[in-house]
Amino acid sequence: MSFLSSLFSTKSSSDQIKKLSPADFKQAIKSMDKTKQLVDVRTPSEFKSGHIKGAVNIDFFNTSKFMDALQKYDKEKAIYLYCRSGSRSNNAARKLENIGFKEIYDLQGGFMNWS
C-alpha cells in the first residue's frame, strides 16, 4: 500500500478493527445473541435522543469510566461500536485494540448513517 493510499484509506490498518457499512453492521448485530457486545460511545444526551436497539451507552469522552466499563467486556468476543459520525468510535476501537480486544467492528459513518 502506498503512503498516500494509507493516509486516505477508509480501512483500518489493524486486523482487529473492521469498518462495516450500515447494512453489514445491521446484519451482524441482527444475528447476535443476548450476550452481544454493542456499544454506543456517544454522550448520554446523544444516546437518549435515539440509539440502536440493544446498545449500551458508554461515553467515550468520560475516559476513566469508559475504560473501566470496557474492562468488563469479553476481549475474545466481537464488539460492535458506533458514535455519531464515526470519529469517536474509530478512536474507541483503537483503545480497545490496545487493551487486547481481538475482534472490533465500527459502524462506518456512525449513527448519522443508520436508518
Side-chain angles (χ1 to χ4, degrees):
M1 183 181 286
S2 76
F3 175 72
L4 287 177
S5 64
S6 68
L7 283 177
F8 298 106
S9 174
T10 60
K11 291 185 177 180
S12 170
S13 61
S14 165
D15 289 336
Q16 283 82 20
I17 303 170
K18 294 174 182 60
K19 288 198 180 286
L20 296 179
S21 70
D24 290 341
F25 196 90
K26 209 173 273 189
Q27 187 61 38
I29 63 171
K30 182 180 178 182
S31 62
M32 293 168 63
D33 63 20
K34 291 180 183 178
T35 62
K36 65 184 166 193
Q37 301 189 121
L38 175 59
V39 179
D40 180 325
V41 301
R42 298 176 302 157
T43 64
S45 62
E46 287 174 301
F47 184 79
K48 286 178 188 169
S49 71
H51 59 272
I52 298 173
K53 184 179 179 183
V56 173
N57 182 223
I58 305 174
D59 184 356
F60 178 73
F61 291 137
N62 191 333
T63 308
S64 61
K65 284 186 180 178
F66 178 79
M67 295 307 287
D68 287 346
L70 286 165
Q71 291 294 339
K72 298 172 185 161
Y73 283 76
D74 187 344
K75 294 178 183 177
E76 300 300 320
K77 284 183 62 178
I79 189 164
Y80 295 80
L81 306 172
Y82 70 94
C83 65
R84 186 181 65 81
S85 64
S87 180
R88 275 177 281 181
S89 58
N90 182 49
N91 290 329
R94 293 186 190 287
K95 284 186 180 278
L96 293 181
E97 179 182 38
N98 289 337
I99 62 171
F101 280 80
K102 306 289 185 222
E103 194 176 350
I104 305 160
Y105 296 96
D106 185 7
L107 174 59
Q108 189 172 22
F111 193 67
M112 288 174 35
N113 270 355
W114 190 257
S115 56

